[in-house]
């Protein structure tokens, strides 16, 4: 919790493609239905610390009304495990990396984004070394996961 507000941290490896896209998508979807929630994203690696989200992620998302302004890459820090109610990884490697440093008392907060929806995939694949189609597919999966996560939040109050 951040004060009285539920909070979610989206996590991928680099925090420049998938998790900032999830942050932008979820911010819009939450705002559209008036859901008050603290939203952030981070990476398990710090290669791109301080960088803006990847242009390819932005270009497939901006036409759909998602806003990446002000987003800047950061690495997951220990305080995140206490602060956030939900820590949602994009792939199984993210989950493994998170659980290596997450205290046992907070490990229940860590899960895959796509575990909240019925998707053809369980993981949001890393698009970094691929083409535009991979970025479009990632956005599609993130939208599905976000819709499922919103359903979960509204069902559990
Ligand atoms: P992301 O993608 O985890 O979705 O942000 C990546 C970004 C950068 C790298 C790998 C994946 N990289 O190796 O620099």
């Amino acid at each position: 919790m951040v004060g009285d507000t539920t909070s979610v941290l989206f996590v991928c490896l680099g925090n420049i493609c998938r998790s900032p896209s999830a942050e932008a998508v979820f911010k819009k979807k939450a705002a559209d239905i008036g859901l008050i929630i603290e939203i952030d994203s981070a990476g398990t690696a710090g290669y791109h610390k301080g960088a803006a989200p990847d242009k390819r992620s932005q270009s497939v998302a901006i036409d759909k009304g998602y806003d990446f302004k002000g987003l800047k890459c950061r690495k997951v820090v220990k305080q995140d495990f206490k602060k956030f109610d939900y820590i949602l990884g994009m792939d199984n490697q993210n989950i493994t990396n998170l659980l290596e440093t997450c205290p046992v008392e907070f490990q229940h907060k860590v899960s895959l984004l796509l575990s909240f929806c019925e998707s053809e995939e369980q993981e949001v694949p890393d698009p970094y070394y691929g083409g535009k189609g991979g970025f479009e597919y990632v956005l599609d999966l993130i939208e599905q996961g976000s819709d499922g996560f919103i359903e979960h939040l509204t069902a559990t109050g």
Side-chain angles (χ1 to χ4, degrees), residues 27-55:
K27 275 184 178 156
K28 178 170 188 328
K29 287 184 178 288
D32 284 350
I33 59 161
L35 178 71
I36 309 279
I37 181 166
E38 167 91 12
I39 305 161
D40 197 2
S41 68
T44 57
Y47 321 128
H48 299 276
K49 198 170 161 220
D54 192 290
K55 287 268 185 300

Side-chain angles (χ1 to χ4, degrees), residues 12-20 47-48 94 125-129:
C12 63
L13 174 63
N15 191 215
I16 55 168
C17 300
R18 292 166 292 174
S19 60
Y47 321 128
H48 299 276
N94 305 148
D126 183 347
Y128 191 67
Y129 294 105

